[in-house]
Amino acid sequence: MIYPIRLFVGLSAVCFALAAQAQTLSLSETRLAAEQGNVKAQYELGSAYASGRGVKRNPAEAAKWYTLAAEQGLPQAQNNLGLMYEKGRGVARNEAEAVKWYTLSAEQGDAKAQNNLGFMYAHGKGIAKDEALAVEWFRKAAEQALPQAENNLGYMYAHGKGVAKDEAEAVKWYTQAAERGFALAQNNLASMYHAGLGVQKDAEEARKWWRKAAEQGDANAKKKLENLK
């Protein structure tokens, strides 16, 4: 049986990493700096409101501060603002606006934005569907070692979407993501070994990768292991 190989949705969670400068500031100091136009402080304040860290969670305030930082060209803020528009968090859902911000961030080299933009092209969300461009953006992010993008690129090769079908190449990218601990890629790699797609069929190798995914709590992998008993 060939198990379905799924495409990771490609949505990055809001990044909460603090800039070194901002780490030493209190929330009130961060707010003051943000109000004075400090882009790192604006991003940090947006992240605080997005996560509820130190303040009551407020997606609208998060979007406000992300917007100010994004308009100053900060790629992390542009990516996170794109996510807010894609999901309708704190702003009216607007996939075209999400694509706009993902693009600005991706063009600056932000791997998460590149992956997210690839997803939008792959599914025709907010922009005309273009699987070849999806592959291009997934590849840019994958080459920066982003496991979600490595998995997505593997999926595109496995199914011949936007690129010539190449199951061996799919295995290559799934393996890289799986070795970084990405559970979905571990599932997909296990499926390739189980079915002998792009790699020699190997039930034990399939079991190994499903076990690794299951150990991370992946329900699909647990089910596959149960079926092998």
Side-chain angles (χ1 to χ4, degrees):
M1 177 179 180
I2 299 176
Y3 293 100
I5 299 174
R6 300 164 293 162
L7 173 63
F8 184 73
V9 296
L11 303 179
S12 66
V14 177
C15 177
F16 303 131
L18 308 182
Q21 176 185 359
Q23 286 181 335
T24 62
L25 301 180
S26 67
L27 183 63
S28 60
E29 290 171 327
T30 299
R31 185 184 301 279
L32 178 61
E35 290 171 347
Q36 293 175 344
N38 183 289
V39 67
K40 292 181 179 179
Q42 291 170 342
Y43 173 72
E44 163 61 10
L45 194 55
S47 294
Y49 278 113
S51 66
R53 187 188 64 247
V55 293
K56 183 177 180 181
R57 186 174 180 274
N58 188 327
E61 278 293 299
K64 166 189 167 182
W65 291 107
Y66 280 149
T67 298
L68 290 172
E71 288 175 345
Q72 291 199 65
L74 189 69
Q76 298 93 330
Q78 292 169 338
N79 176 66
N80 290 357
L81 184 58
L83 178 62
M84 304 291 272
Y85 274 108
E86 184 182 350
K87 303 297 288 184
R89 297 174 183 167
V91 292
R93 185 176 180 181
N94 186 329
E95 292 178 342
E97 191 71 6
V99 168
K100 165 190 164 182
W101 290 109
Y102 285 151
T103 301
L104 288 170
S105 181
E107 289 176 345
Q108 293 192 68
D110 186 273
K112 291 180 179 179
Q114 290 169 344
N115 185 60
N116 291 343
L117 184 57
F119 175 80
M120 303 300 271
Y121 274 113
H123 293 270
K125 297 183 64 175
I127 200 164
K129 184 174 181 177
D130 189 327
E131 291 177 338
L133 276 177
V135 167
E136 286 187 23
W137 286 112
F138 286 148
R139 190 183 307 281
K140 287 178 184 292
E143 289 173 348
Q144 296 193 63
L146 185 71
Q148 294 90 337
E150 291 171 331
N151 177 74
N152 288 349
L153 186 56
Y155 176 92
M156 302 302 270
Y157 273 111
H159 294 270
K161 292 182 176 290
V163 67
K165 186 173 182 178
D166 187 334
E167 291 169 344
E169 190 71 6
V171 168
K172 166 191 164 181
W173 290 106
Y174 285 152
T175 299
Q176 290 186 192
E179 289 178 345
R180 297 185 206 285
F182 189 55
L184 182 53
Q186 292 169 343
N187 266 303
N188 291 344
L189 183 58
S191 295
M192 301 298 273
Y193 275 110
H194 184 77
L197 298 175
V199 69
Q200 185 173 346
K201 190 172 183 177
D202 189 328
E204 285 308 309
E205 195 71 7
R207 189 188 302 274
K208 179 186 87 171
W209 287 110
W210 273 323
R211 184 178 298 113
K212 287 180 180 292
E215 287 170 354
Q216 296 190 64
D218 188 280
N220 182 64
K222 290 178 181 179
K223 182 177 180 180
K224 297 297 187 293
L225 288 172
E226 285 293 323
N227 291 339
L228 292 177
K229 290 181 180 179

